[in-house]
Amino acid sequence: MKALSPVTLEFNGLRLEPMTRAHAADLALAAADGELWNLHVTSVPAPGEEAAYIDKALQDSARLPWVVRDIASGKVIGSTSFHDMVPAIGRVEIGYTWYGKSWQRSHVNTSCKLLLLGHAFDTLGCAVVGFRTDHLNHASQAAIVRLGAQRDGTLRHHALRRDGSVRDTVMFSILAGEWPAIKAGLQQKLQRYRGD
C-alpha cells in the first residue's frame, strides 16, 4: 500500500477537498441542512463546534478527512474520511461520512464512495476497505450493504456516542478482489440516477 497523504479528488460534479480550518463556516451550513447534529447516531458538528470538529479530525494521525463540495453550486455539502488506517496490512476505513439532508438519497454517496474506493484500491493498492456504523443507524447500515460491502460482525459495547451512551459497532468490509464487481455495480447505479 502506498503512503497516504491529503489529495483532492473529483468525480461526477463533486470535489473531495482535504479538510482545513478554513472549512468551518461551510461545514456549519452543510450541517444546518437538516440540523444533522440532532441525530443521535452521527458525528456531525453542532453549531459553534465546527472548529473543534475540524481540529479533532486533523489531529488524528490515523485519519484523512475531506469536505465534499458540489462543484456547480460551490457549496460544501458534507464530509467524509479515511480513518483507522493500517498501512502494514493495506487497510483503510471509510467513515465519519455525512451529507446535508437535501443531498441524501441522491448520487452523492455513490459518487463519493466510487471516488474513495477507487483511490483506496486502484491508487493506494489497499487489500481491504472497511466501514463501521452505530448498530442503531439502520440507514447507514443499509447504505453500506447497497455498496456491496460484506457484514463482518458487531463489536459490542465498543464506542462512546456524543451523549455519553455506549454503542455497539457494526463492521463491514470490501476486499480488493471484490472491488471490480462492486465498482461495476456502483457505476450502474449512477447510470440509474442519471436516467441512462
Side-chain angles (χ1 to χ4, degrees):
M1 178 175 152
K2 294 180 183 174
L4 288 128
S5 60
V7 62
T8 299
L9 304 170
E10 280 190 29
F11 174 67
N12 204 20
L14 302 171
R15 180 181 305 123
L16 275 61
E17 302 172 6
M19 185 184 289
T20 69
R21 292 203 82 206
H23 290 115
D26 290 329
L27 287 172
L29 290 172
D33 178 7
E35 298 183 355
L36 301 177
W37 59 84
N38 289 319
L39 298 174
H40 181 62
V41 293
T42 62
S43 60
V44 179
E49 295 179 358
E50 297 83 14
Y53 176 85
I54 291 169
D55 287 344
K56 183 177 179 184
L58 295 177
Q59 290 167 5
D60 184 344
S61 63
R63 185 170 171 194
L64 191 58
W66 287 273
V67 297
V68 180
R69 186 178 301 277
D70 174 62
I71 295 171
S73 69
K75 293 180 180 179
V76 168
I77 60 173
S79 178
T80 192
S81 295
F82 279 166
H83 65 95
D84 287 87
M85 302 177 291
V86 188
I89 61 169
R91 181 183 176 90
V92 299
E93 292 186 30
I94 297 173
Y96 296 95
T97 302
W98 58 269
Y99 308 110
K101 187 169 179 62
S102 61
W103 296 94
Q104 296 171 11
R105 299 200 178 274
S106 72
H107 73 287
V108 170
N109 189 53
T110 303
S111 297
C112 287
K113 292 308 186 286
L114 261 170
L115 264 177
L116 293 169
L117 288 165
H119 187 62
F121 288 121
D122 302 333
T123 303
L124 299 175
C126 287
V128 61
V129 174
F131 304 86
R132 62 177 71 187
T133 189
D134 191 303
H135 77 287
L136 297 177
N137 192 341
H138 302 292
S140 180
Q141 289 179 56
I144 294 168
V145 168
R146 283 193 304 271
L147 292 173
Q150 298 295 309
R151 182 181 171 132
D152 295 328
T154 301
L155 301 173
R156 299 184 311 156
H157 202 77
H158 179 247
L160 280 175
R161 294 186 185 102
R162 276 190 313 196
D163 67 1
S165 62
V166 180
R167 78 177 204 184
D168 293 348
T169 300
V170 185
M171 303 293 293
F172 298 84
S173 65
I174 297 173
L175 301 175
E178 298 164 343
W179 169 232
I182 287 172
K183 180 179 181 179
L186 293 175
Q187 289 169 333
Q188 286 179 340
K189 192 173 176 183
L190 282 179
Q191 288 176 348
R192 288 195 298 273
Y193 279 121
R194 291 191 298 259
D196 296 352

